Amino acid sequence: MTTVTESSTGSSTRAARPSSPPRRVRKPRGELTMVVVTVGVIMAFIVVLLIVPILIALRGSFHQWNPLNGTFTWVGLDNYAELFADPQFARASLNTAVFGVAAIAGRVVIGLAIAYALFSRLTRWKGFFRTVFYMPTITPLVAVAYVWKLMYNPQFGAINSIFGLDVNWLFDSRFSLLAIILMTIWKDFGYAVILLLAGLYSIPEDSLEAASVDGANSWQRFWRVILPLLRPMLFFVVITSLIAYLQAFVQVLVLTGGGPGTSTQIISYMIYEQAFVKYNFGYASAIAFVLLLVTAALTAASWRFNSSGGADRPGRAARRRAARRAAAATTEGSAR
């Protein structure tokens, strides 16, 4: 470290001054204790409430297990062999796939349409509409399911009365799964609205202005600029929805109880029925582990696809085009 000193003749000379050692920053008293206690409590909850039950269920999946009469007999892989030969599990898997795909598609499409409408400069009272659309998401699912059960009533339900229909929504196997899907979409589309609206506001303004300067109409701006730049947020909504809908249970329990027949029985409801109705905990544990592996595999594949750039490649191309247009406009302005 050097300083400048002025001599009596007015000339300046530089004198070296030894640098002082860096001062040690003292942590607030008790900070380390608070960190250790907080992390320790969280880890204890994770171990006791998550890891230990998973290990117990994994061990139970290799046994014939009924805790009511104390049965706990080793059967090896028999539960898994029975599972893949069970037509009820095949039907539950198909119902889960149909329910998940339809609910995710409805949630994303409706959420994107409403988010884009709220993003428009022509829309007023945006705060009010955001609150209204998000309100079903924060309403307890059990309460929503019971209200929709009344609305689906074939004698005095609001849906048949409003649309002039004569449909027994919850006791007709042709409509029962559709009824659950419609209720789920209405309950959850506000989640997609809020996240996609945040994604729309994060799009660089210069990209939209460059598209307008190039003469793009509203549809071309949405399809070629906004949608590619919004793709990472769309991917996040789809992944979180996929994880949630593979574990959907409450709406099936309240609305149909898995019926009529097995028309609305999905995998999570089948786990409940095997464990807490038939007390076949070993078989239920085997189903739960298959569901866990499927969920983990789909999530890992999706993240791998996203990290490889497959989902964001059009977005990067759009950003490169916007950057080239901005650079060309800057060069043209400098030349003038």
Side-chain angles (χ1 to χ4, degrees), residues 51-106:
I51 296 178
V52 171
I54 287 176
L55 294 178
I56 293 175
L58 177 61
R59 182 166 172 255
S61 69
F62 299 106
H63 291 75
Q64 184 182 358
W65 182 16
N66 186 341
L68 289 184
N69 56 20
T71 302
F72 197 72
T73 306
W74 170 264
V75 294
L77 296 175
D78 287 357
N79 284 329
Y80 292 95
E82 180 184 352
L83 173 65
F84 291 111
D86 188 353
Q88 185 180 354
F89 178 72
R91 179 59 187 269
S93 300
L94 177 62
N95 288 342
T96 303
V98 172
F99 170 78
V101 171
I104 291 173

Side-chain angles (χ1 to χ4, degrees), residues 155-179:
Q155 296 177 345
F156 55 81
I159 294 179
N160 281 353
S161 300
I162 293 174
F163 296 101
L165 300 175
D166 185 17
V167 177
N168 195 344
W169 290 93
L170 302 180
F171 294 96
D172 189 331
S173 59
R174 297 173 298 173
F175 302 102
S176 52
L177 187 59
L178 175 63

Side-chain angles (χ1 to χ4, degrees), residues 6 12 36 112 119 154-155 160 176 184 210-211 222 248 256 269 291 321:
E6 186 174 351
S12 299
V36 171
L112 179 60
F119 181 68
Q155 296 177 345
N160 281 353
S176 52
T184 304
F222 174 77
T256 64
Y269 187 83
L291 180 62
R321 288 195 297 270

Side-chain angles (χ1 to χ4, degrees), residues 141-160:
L141 179 55
V142 175
V144 172
Y146 273 108
V147 171
W148 275 75
K149 190 173 184 177
L150 294 175
M151 293 170 61
Y152 280 135
N153 189 290
Q155 296 177 345
F156 55 81
I159 294 179
N160 281 353

Side-chain angles (χ1 to χ4, degrees), residues 3-330:
T3 58
V4 178
T5 57
E6 186 174 351
S7 65
S8 59
T9 58
S11 62
S12 299
T13 60
R14 293 180 178 273
R17 179 180 296 177
S19 58
S20 57
R23 298 181 59 184
R24 186 175 181 181
V25 179
R26 300 182 60 183
K27 294 183 178 179
R29 185 176 298 176
E31 179 180 347
L32 181 59
T33 304
M34 184 184 69
V35 171
V36 171
V37 171
T38 303
V39 175
V41 170
I42 293 174
M43 291 304 297
F45 271 98
I46 291 175
V47 170
V48 173
L49 300 179
L50 182 63
I51 296 178
V52 171
I54 287 176
L55 294 178
I56 293 175
L58 177 61
R59 182 166 172 255
S61 69
F62 299 106
H63 291 75
Q64 184 182 358
W65 182 16
N66 186 341
L68 289 184
N69 56 20
T71 302
F72 197 72
T73 306
W74 170 264
V75 294
L77 296 175
D78 287 357
N79 284 329
Y80 292 95
E82 180 184 352
L83 173 65
F84 291 111
D86 188 353
Q88 185 180 354
F89 178 72
R91 179 59 187 269
S93 300
L94 177 62
N95 288 342
T96 303
V98 172
F99 170 78
V101 171
I104 291 173
R107 185 187 211 184
V108 171
V109 171
I110 295 175
L112 179 60
I114 295 177
Y116 193 60
L118 292 177
F119 181 68
S120 172
R121 295 176 179 175
L122 300 178
T123 303
R124 303 179 63 184
W125 309 99
K126 294 184 178 182
F128 170 75
F129 286 116
R130 281 198 300 265
T131 304
V132 170
F133 291 135
Y134 194 66
M135 196 169 293
T137 305
I138 60 175
T139 305
L141 179 55
V142 175
V144 172
Y146 273 108
V147 171
W148 275 75
K149 190 173 184 177
L150 294 175
M151 293 170 61
Y152 280 135
N153 189 290
Q155 296 177 345
F156 55 81
I159 294 179
N160 281 353
S161 300
I162 293 174
F163 296 101
L165 300 175
D166 185 17
V167 177
N168 195 344
W169 290 93
L170 302 180
F171 294 96
D172 189 331
S173 59
R174 297 173 298 173
F175 302 102
S176 52
L177 187 59
L178 175 63
I180 295 175
I181 292 171
L182 292 177
M183 190 229 76
T184 304
I185 293 174
W186 181 88
K187 169 75 173 61
D188 292 341
F189 79 93
Y191 171 83
V193 170
I194 296 301
L195 289 182
L196 295 177
L197 191 59
L200 287 170
Y201 279 115
S202 68
I203 294 176
E205 189 68 26
D206 55 350
S207 298
L208 302 178
E209 293 176 355
S212 300
V213 170
D214 287 348
N217 56 32
S218 299
W219 172 250
Q220 290 170 333
R221 281 183 56 194
F222 174 77
W223 186 254
R224 297 186 177 181
V225 179
I226 293 177
L227 196 58
L229 294 176
L230 197 59
R231 192 161 298 188
M233 186 60 77
L234 283 169
F235 173 79
F236 178 79
V237 173
V238 170
I239 285 297
T240 52
S241 302
L242 175 67
I243 296 172
Y245 291 149
L246 284 176
Q247 306 173 52
F249 169 72
V250 173
Q251 51 268 60
V252 177
L253 176 66
V254 173
L255 290 179
T256 64
T262 57
S263 60
T264 60
Q265 191 171 70
I266 57 179
I267 293 179
S268 56
Y269 187 83
M270 187 178 175
I271 295 171
Y272 159 79
E273 187 179 58
Q274 288 292 332
F276 299 103
V277 177
K278 299 179 180 178
Y279 298 105
N280 191 356
F281 277 70
Y283 191 54
S285 299
I287 301 173
F289 262 89
V290 170
L291 180 62
L292 173 65
L293 293 177
V294 170
T295 305
L298 290 175
T299 305
S302 302
W303 282 113
R304 183 178 178 81
F305 173 75
N306 187 47
S307 61
S308 65
D312 198 28
R313 190 173 297 124
R316 292 203 302 270
R319 287 194 289 270
R320 285 197 296 270
R321 288 195 297 270
R324 284 198 295 270
R325 285 193 291 267
T330 304

